[in-house]
């Protein structure tokens, strides 16, 4: 299971001796309780039934492996890597307050620096008190530079400053923090769109990722958040935080399959090294 050892193992197949209707009913209930949601669960179980029948599977371990393949197929959507093909590239981090967005930026900054990249942080969340201070601490921990302004400044102007600095300093990648909450949803989405326009204007051909950070412990609420942000911000990938044993994990499958957006990273703890590229095979091994 590798770094997914921390994920709570559901042991879905414990106690089953026959692959019958009772088994499938229990499996549905277990997957729903794992935060996979009704629609995704039904889709997974129906596909499992189809494959079990077509492959004439009888043994419980064969069925377990088949379910792993079903879930892995549902998780494997889009490009799970980061597009950092230009200098600079830009990664925009979005998500509601409290999901671990700023922490994730700091961890990814450390990861990219360890890969030899010159990283610049942009403190674009100017609305939350001390957000820039928190990101500054992470910049120091990761050993990377940061561009920031005063609390309440125009986020788009901070992004403009960061882009200008990145060009001057020959940075490889800019990691942009954004606000998680304004007065209402429309204001928040307008702000994100404004930031994106600045980036498109100043770096028209740059590689740009928009990563939505979600707290895995919020379950189906995370799926609702993902749908809302996808509509407004063109999400290219998901980062799931707090997937450390307290989360049930099934929401990962629901998000990837329902939204067809790849999960690119998972956060497994508080340490600066506890952000890992998502591994669908390792995840399904741990889940099932």
């Amino acid at each position: 299971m590798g770094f997914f050892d921390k994920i709570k193992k559901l042991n879905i197949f414990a106690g089953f001796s026959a692959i019958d209707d009772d088994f499938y009913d229990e499996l549905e209930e277990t997957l729903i309780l794992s935060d996979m949601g009704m629609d995704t669960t039904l889709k997974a179980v129906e596909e499992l039934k189809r494959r079990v029948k077509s492959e004439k599977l009888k043994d419980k371990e064969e069925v377990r492996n088949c379910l792993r393949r079903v879930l892995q197929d549902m998780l494997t959507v889009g490009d799970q890597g980061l597009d950092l093909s230009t200098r600079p590239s830009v990664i925009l981090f979005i998500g509601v307050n409290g999901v671990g967005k700023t922490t994730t930026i700091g961890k990814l900054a450390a990861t990219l620096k360890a890969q030899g990249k010159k990283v610049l942080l942009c403190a674009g969340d100017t609305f939350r008190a001390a957000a820039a201070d928190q990101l500054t601490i992470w910049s120091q921990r990761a050993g990377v530079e940061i561009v920031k302004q005063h609390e309440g400044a125009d986020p788009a102007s901070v992004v403009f400053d960061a882009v200008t600095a990145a060009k001057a300093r020959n940075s490889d990648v800019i990691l942009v923090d954004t606000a998680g909450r304004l007065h209402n949803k429309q204001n928040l989405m307008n702000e994100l769109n404004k930031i994106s326009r600045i980036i498109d204007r100043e770096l028209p051909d740059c590689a740009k990722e928009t990563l939505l950070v979600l707290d895995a412990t919020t379950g189906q609420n995370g799926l609702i958040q993902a749908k809302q942000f996808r509509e407004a911000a063109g999400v290219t990938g998901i980062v799931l935080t707090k997937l450390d044993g307290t989360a049930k994990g099934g929401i990962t499958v629901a998000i990837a399959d329902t939204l067809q957006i790849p999960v690119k990273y998972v956060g497994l703890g508080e340490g600066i090294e506890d952000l890992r590229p998502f591994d669908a095979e390792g995840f399904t091994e741990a889940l099932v």
Side-chain angles (χ1 to χ4, degrees):
M1 292 190 291
F3 60 80
F4 284 97
D5 286 342
K6 295 181 180 179
I7 297 174
K8 183 178 180 181
K9 195 167 178 63
L10 296 174
N11 202 15
I12 289 170
F13 285 77
F16 292 113
S17 57
I19 309 302
D20 53 17
D21 288 343
D22 288 341
F23 164 76
Y24 287 117
D25 288 344
E26 290 287 344
L27 177 59
E28 283 183 8
E29 181 179 347
T30 304
L31 292 178
I32 290 169
L33 289 174
S34 80
D35 274 342
M36 200 172 291
M38 180 67 75
D39 292 343
T40 304
T41 292
L42 293 178
K43 180 177 178 180
V45 173
E46 284 304 311
E47 177 61 15
L48 177 64
K49 288 180 180 178
R50 187 191 68 77
R51 294 191 191 187
V52 167
K53 183 176 180 180
S54 66
E55 297 173 23
K56 298 181 172 59
L57 304 180
K58 302 292 185 184
D59 179 78
K60 185 168 68 172
E61 198 57 35
E62 290 179 337
V63 177
R64 181 200 293 269
N65 289 330
C66 185
L67 178 59
R68 287 172 175 161
R69 293 196 303 272
V70 168
L71 297 179
Q72 189 173 336
D73 288 346
M74 296 172 78
L75 283 164
T76 307
V77 297
D79 185 352
Q80 293 182 319
L82 292 176
D83 181 2
L84 302 176
S85 57
T86 63
R87 177 182 288 181
S89 301
V90 179
I91 306 178
L92 198 65
F93 290 81
I94 63 177
V96 301
N97 289 342
V99 295
K101 184 154 39 73
T102 306
T103 301
T104 296
I105 294 170
K107 292 176 181 178
L108 185 58
T111 298
L112 294 174
K113 187 187 178 187
Q115 294 171 1
K117 296 191 180 297
K118 188 173 183 180
V119 181
L120 180 66
L121 303 189
C122 173
D125 182 358
T126 60
F127 295 95
R128 183 170 64 86
D133 293 340
Q134 184 185 1
L135 193 63
T136 299
I137 293 170
W138 275 105
S139 75
Q140 293 166 351
R141 291 182 68 184
V144 301
E145 296 180 313
I146 185 171
V147 170
K148 59 184 177 179
Q149 290 186 22
H150 59 86
E151 188 177 319
D154 179 5
S157 77
V158 186
V159 172
F160 177 83
D161 286 352
V163 170
T164 303
K167 290 176 180 177
R169 301 172 193 177
N170 206 25
S171 300
D172 292 302
V173 57
I174 310 168
L175 306 185
V176 183
D177 194 8
T178 67
R181 182 176 296 116
L182 295 180
H183 299 303
N184 58 50
K185 176 188 167 186
Q186 191 57 51
N187 283 350
L188 174 59
M189 299 312 172
N190 289 343
E191 198 62 62
L192 293 175
N193 288 334
K194 186 177 177 183
I195 289 171
S196 291
R197 288 197 302 272
I198 291 291
I199 295 169
D200 292 341
R201 187 187 73 198
E202 299 300 318
L203 296 170
D205 298 316
C206 79
K208 186 174 78 170
E209 295 271 0
T210 301
L211 299 184
L212 173 61
V213 183
L214 296 173
D215 179 344
T217 65
T218 61
Q220 291 296 305
N221 284 335
L223 182 57
I224 294 169
Q225 290 173 27
K227 288 178 178 178
Q228 292 175 338
F229 276 99
R230 181 188 62 171
E231 292 169 5
V235 178
T236 62
I238 303 290
V239 180
L240 272 176
T241 65
K242 307 178 189 178
L243 198 63
D244 57 0
T246 55
K248 298 173 186 175
I251 189 61
T252 315
V253 185
I255 288 170
D257 182 65
T258 302
L259 303 181
Q260 291 296 294
I261 297 173
V263 177
K264 299 202 174 194
Y265 283 88
V266 291
L268 299 169
E270 294 301 316
I272 198 166
E273 73 286 352
D274 289 330
L275 182 74
R276 307 291 177 85
F278 181 67
D279 172 13
E281 182 178 356
F283 180 82
T284 53
E285 288 281 337
L287 191 65
V288 181

